Amino acid sequence: MQTELSKKLGVEHALFGFTPFPAVAAAISRAGGFGVLGAVRYTDPDELKRDLDWIEAHVDGMPYGLDVVMPAKKVEGVTEADVEAMIPEGHRQYVRDTLATYAVPELDEGEASGWRITGWMEQVARTQLDVAFDYPIKLLANALGSPPADVIERAHEKGVLVAALAGSARHARKHAEAGIDIVVAQGYEGGGHTGEIASMVLTPEVVEAVAPLPVLAAGGIGSGQQMAAALTLGAQGVWLGSLWLTTTEADMHSRALTRKLLAAGSGDTVRSRALTGKPARQLRTEWTDAWDDPNGPGTLPMPLQGLLVADALSRIQKHEVGPLLGTPVGQIVGRMNSERTVQEVVDDLTRGFEEAVDRLDRIAGRSHE
Amino acid sequence: MQTELSKKLGVEHALFGFTPFPAVAAAISRAGGFGVLGAVRYTDPDELKRDLDWIEAHVDGMPYGLDVVMPAKKVEGVTEADVEAMIPEGHRQYVRDTLATYAVPELDEGEASGWRITGWMEQVARTQLDVAFDYPIKLLANALGSPPADVIERAHEKGVLVAALAGSARHARKHAEAGIDIVVAQGYEGGGHTGEIASMVLTPEVVEAVAPLPVLAAGGIGSGQQMAAALTLGAQGVWLGSLWLTTTEADMHSRALTRKLLAAGSGDTVRSRALTGKPARQLRTEWTDAWDDPNGPGTLPMPLQGLLVADALSRIQKHEVGPLLGTPVGQIVGRMNSERTVQEVVDDLTRGFEEAVDRLDRIAGRSHE
């Protein structure tokens, strides 16, 4: 399975794996794919440095990349406290009431939330980049629009390709104009922030909109068959995030959450603003229901919602409060039914890809028998 | 392009075209696909007879089918007047107010709505079947669950295959248990009634759920590339509805509506209950906005909503009231940008299919050069 892009990056499979876990990222690259470490949670540059050192020591010289969350527009002089002050008291009370309904225990004294707004702010992303550019990363992806021009320039000087996620052809064209190298077309069915256009429609539309730039298809891809379908639609590779959450290398911190993922069907996700204030696909839980409830206060815009619920989500996750416990994940959660190693997942994807090509060749009357 | 199902039905292409227009259905079958006439609007059996006669005279002996809307559960003794009486006055007033806002003219004296509840009732579907079984139809599809057992039996006695639409694997398994022959997996991105699972995820899930029954993929398919992707996902054929609306053979009654379809992008549809009370994808208009408005009365359940808005929709369509004018259509409306004959559309689909297979073969290292 080789495309121009996979050849350019020197990987065996045109298969990009996004993950917040260094062990998963390294294992994807070792298995012949391209591991991309999600950096949003690294508010401490030393932690990012430690984890990139770990990847360097475990990736066997294979290429890998980094994914940051960086707004293209700069918001000057706004602190976390300024944003905190914009949250209405009624919303804070709704958080307290909902947590009380489920008797969710408090965090311990001094125990901070691991999921704060700070990871979304440009200055944090810039400290992440200062660290990352000292490592031989081959790809820098941005989940929140095109990165600022100086970041694209700096990446290109270092020989790093820049990718950006898009949920529409219009969005993708803006990225192309900003000078990025790869567009990740993220379909409606994918985990995390998504638009409303499904991959079947979005992928070819984005491919046509930004040609000759290469496009990676994201959303709805959890098998070799789906990988083959995405490449059929004109993508030069696939971008998978959800599938790694139930690998044995994933450090999910909560067995209860892993069990929920393994048990969930494709209809058990929801595209909700509950997590960040922008629509993001995630497990549907009584927590997302509370925010999507027409009788509740509703969600706040980004970045207020994320800040509002940060501590609550930490409490829910730490204490494994079943009905409220969730995570961003795509509709392919329906086929994440067993814990496997990253290598097993990649083997299954590449074998499934070959079988799908065989079948399509037979239908097209090009059987090789 | 040959699958077991296309061989069984004796068609050149595994390409099923659903359409309310006899001229389109006949043209699809003549072009080597399989035309399926939507019967819902035929409340008068003689009209259906007239149109099936027309198809017989114009299909050059090629196979074709019929699509009915038939509930599996029988509702005894309920008349249209009974259902009318269940509609709250507030909703009727909202219809009048909305039409008044846009100064929509009345229908002429005695001019009935073409889109009434009656087409959805079992007795009407049964009179349609009494007519249709006198013709050599090869497929009977039902858009509303599995048909009743006696209808499936009658079809099988006549050698007619029975298909039913499904938006989830669970739904598809129920159809299989009811004894139908083909499942049409209708993805979220498709026009008309859809569930929330996108085709990329739904198609393989339904294929696995009902194997060895053949599955047709519906939703998001408007090019040969998308057709190849759907077959890659395990389908034995594709089911296309939207794409025919802008063919020269389609009798849309409204040039303004055709122009709207040609101009719409993939983001210009909405999955709304405005039309029937169940979520159905359609052009987003100020009419659908009015029903999806949280400050409005909201929609009524099926079949009340369809009855409530029937006359209003006839008025909007007859008088071509631009901002309110809509139609069920899928996200592929974004690539319906020119009026073409059915033959041109089919040629484009089959050529695009071959090109997509070529490209996938190259990626898989099976180039035939």
Side-chain angles (χ1 to χ4, degrees):
Chain A
M1 190 210 323
Q2 286 267 293
T3 64
E4 277 180 50
L5 181 63
S6 68
K7 282 179 211 158
K8 191 170 182 178
L9 284 165
V11 290
E12 193 183 345
H13 311 301
L15 185 173
F16 295 72
F18 164 79
T19 174
F21 309 118
V24 175
I28 293 167
S29 290
R30 280 201 313 273
F34 189 99
V36 181
L37 181 68
V40 70
R41 71 193 173 95
Y42 295 98
T43 48
D44 177 350
D46 287 340
E47 278 184 35
L48 179 58
K49 201 168 159 22
R50 183 199 63 199
D51 282 359
L52 288 174
D53 281 339
W54 191 94
I55 290 179
E56 273 296 307
H58 291 85
V59 80
D60 293 356
M62 305 309 289
Y64 64 94
L66 194 79
D67 180 279
V68 295
V69 180
M70 187 169 228
K73 272 185 295 185
K74 207 166 182 154
V75 186
E76 294 284 358
V78 178
T79 68
E80 187 166 319
D82 295 335
V83 181
E84 286 273 8
M86 295 167 71
I87 297 176
E89 176 52 27
H91 280 77
R92 294 195 186 279
Q93 190 57 45
Y94 191 68
V95 170
R96 285 191 291 267
D97 291 348
T98 308
L99 294 173
T101 304
Y102 293 89
V104 181
E106 300 276 349
L107 292 177
D108 292 337
E109 193 67 40
E111 204 176 15
S113 160
W115 177 257
R116 301 296 288 188
I117 188 181
T118 42
W120 299 77
M121 294 181 94
E122 186 183 335
Q123 55 267 43
V124 176
R126 285 191 179 271
T127 61
Q128 291 165 351
L129 291 178
D130 288 339
V131 171
F133 280 134
D134 283 342
Y135 292 80
I137 59 169
K138 293 274 177 288
L139 177 78
L140 175 68
N142 188 22
L144 213 65
S146 314
D150 69 296
V151 171
I152 297 177
E153 203 178 315
R154 193 168 159 202
H156 287 168
E157 277 166 15
K158 297 256 179 189
V160 176
L161 295 180
V162 180
L165 270 73
S168 71
R170 189 184 54 79
H171 198 184
R173 267 188 294 264
K174 279 195 182 176
H175 291 335
E177 284 159 19
I180 63 141
D181 308 291
I182 301 166
V183 174
V184 182
Q186 161 83 339
Y188 155 89
E189 56 270 70
H193 291 128
T194 69
E196 294 195 339
I197 317 290
S199 290
M200 184 69 89
V201 174
L202 181 70
T203 308
E205 217 168 56
V206 171
V207 167
E208 284 168 32
V210 301
L213 281 193
V215 171
L216 301 177
I221 305 168
S223 71
Q225 206 174 28
Q226 285 158 334
M227 199 157 72
L231 293 169
T232 304
L233 293 170
Q236 286 209 21
V238 293
W239 175 272
L240 293 82
S242 301
L243 198 59
W244 319 107
L245 294 177
T246 49
T247 57
T248 53
E249 290 91 340
D251 186 12
M252 290 293 281
H253 303 294
S254 163
R255 289 301 300 164
L257 183 53
T258 298
R259 282 193 299 270
K260 260 190 132 166
L261 287 169
L262 293 170
S266 58
D268 292 331
T269 73
V270 65
R271 192 169 159 270
S272 166
R273 296 178 189 268
L275 200 60
T276 65
K278 287 199 182 204
R281 185 170 300 287
Q282 52 201 289
L283 277 184
R284 181 179 168 182
T285 66
E286 294 183 27
W287 178 256
T288 62
D289 285 352
W291 290 102
D292 296 331
D293 184 349
N295 300 318
T299 53
L300 295 171
M302 184 184 260
L304 303 186
Q305 181 71 15
L307 194 57
L308 171 66
V309 301
D311 282 335
L313 293 180
S314 294
R315 286 167 63 181
I316 292 165
Q317 184 147 6
K318 181 183 174 192
H319 298 290
E320 298 193 321
V321 184
L324 305 181
L325 196 58
T327 180
V329 72
Q331 290 185 337
I332 61 129
V333 70
R335 59 170 63 243
M336 291 158 50
N337 301 322
S338 65
E339 285 179 277
R340 294 177 298 169
T341 65
V342 167
Q343 182 70 55
E344 285 169 331
V345 170
V346 171
D347 288 346
D348 184 52
L349 287 167
T350 54
R351 192 173 46 237
F353 172 81
E354 296 295 334
E355 287 169 7
V357 178
D358 285 344
R359 181 173 179 280
L360 188 63
D361 278 343
R362 279 197 302 276
I363 290 174
R366 307 184 191 184
S367 188
H368 300 264
E369 290 141 39
Chain B
M1 190 208 325
Q2 286 268 294
T3 64
E4 277 180 50
L5 182 62
S6 68
K7 283 179 210 158
K8 192 169 180 177
L9 284 166
V11 290
E12 192 183 346
H13 312 300
L15 187 173
F16 295 71
F18 165 79
T19 174
F21 309 118
V24 175
I28 292 167
S29 289
R30 279 201 315 271
F34 189 99
V36 181
L37 180 70
V40 69
R41 72 194 172 97
Y42 294 97
T43 48
D44 176 351
D46 287 339
E47 278 184 35
L48 180 58
K49 201 169 161 17
R50 184 200 61 200
D51 282 359
L52 288 174
D53 281 337
W54 191 94
I55 290 180
E56 273 295 307
H58 291 84
V59 80
D60 293 355
M62 305 308 289
Y64 64 95
L66 194 79
D67 180 279
V68 295
V69 180
M70 187 170 228
K73 272 185 295 186
K74 211 168 180 149
V75 186
E76 294 284 358
V78 178
T79 67
E80 187 167 317
D82 295 337
V83 181
E84 286 273 9
M86 295 167 72
I87 296 176
E89 176 51 27
H91 280 76
R92 293 194 186 280
Q93 190 57 47
Y94 190 67
V95 170
R96 285 191 291 266
D97 291 348
T98 308
L99 294 174
T101 303
Y102 293 88
V104 181
E106 301 276 348
L107 292 177
D108 293 335
E109 193 67 39
E111 205 176 14
S113 160
W115 177 257
R116 303 294 291 188
I117 188 181
T118 42
W120 299 78
M121 295 181 95
E122 187 182 335
Q123 53 268 43
V124 176
R126 285 189 179 270
T127 61
Q128 291 165 350
L129 291 177
D130 287 340
V131 171
F133 281 134
D134 283 342
Y135 292 80
I137 59 168
K138 292 276 177 287
L139 177 79
L140 174 68
N142 188 21
L144 212 66
S146 315
D150 69 296
V151 172
I152 297 177
E153 202 177 316
R154 193 169 160 202
H156 287 168
E157 278 166 14
K158 297 259 179 188
V160 176
L161 295 180
V162 180
L165 269 74
S168 71
R170 188 183 56 78
H171 198 183
R173 267 189 293 265
K174 279 195 181 174
H175 291 334
E177 285 159 19
I180 63 139
D181 308 291
I182 300 167
V183 174
V184 181
Q186 160 84 338
Y188 155 88
E189 56 271 68
H193 292 127
T194 70
E196 294 193 340
I197 317 290
S199 289
M200 184 71 90
V201 173
L202 182 69
T203 309
E205 216 168 58
V206 170
V207 168
E208 285 169 30
V210 302
L213 281 194
V215 172
L216 300 178
I221 304 167
S223 71
Q225 207 175 29
Q226 287 159 333
M227 198 158 72
L231 293 169
T232 305
L233 293 170
Q236 286 208 21
V238 292
W239 176 273
L240 292 82
S242 303
L243 197 57
W244 318 108
L245 294 177
T246 49
T247 57
T248 53
E249 290 91 339
D251 186 11
M252 290 295 280
H253 302 294
S254 163
R255 287 302 300 166
L257 182 53
T258 298
R259 282 193 299 269
K260 260 190 132 165
L261 287 169
L262 293 170
S266 59
D268 293 329
T269 73
V270 64
R271 194 170 158 270
S272 166
R273 296 178 189 267
L275 199 60
T276 65
K278 288 199 182 203
R281 185 170 301 285
Q282 52 200 288
L283 277 185
R284 182 179 167 182
T285 66
E286 295 183 27
W287 178 256
T288 63
D289 285 353
W291 290 102
D292 296 333
D293 185 349
N295 300 317
T299 53
L300 296 171
M302 183 184 264
L304 302 186
Q305 181 71 17
L307 193 55
L308 171 65
V309 301
D311 283 334
L313 293 180
S314 294
R315 286 168 61 181
I316 292 165
Q317 185 147 5
K318 181 184 173 191
H319 298 290
E320 299 194 318
V321 185
L324 305 180
L325 195 58
T327 179
V329 72
Q331 291 185 338
I332 62 130
V333 70
R335 62 168 62 243
M336 290 157 52
N337 301 323
S338 65
E339 286 180 277
R340 295 177 297 171
T341 64
V342 166
Q343 182 70 55
E344 285 169 331
V345 169
V346 171
D347 288 346
D348 184 54
L349 287 167
T350 55
R351 192 173 46 236
F353 172 82
E354 296 295 334
E355 287 169 6
V357 177
D358 286 343
R359 181 171 179 280
L360 187 63
D361 277 345
R362 279 196 301 274
I363 290 173
R366 307 184 190 183
S367 188
H368 300 263
E369 290 142 41

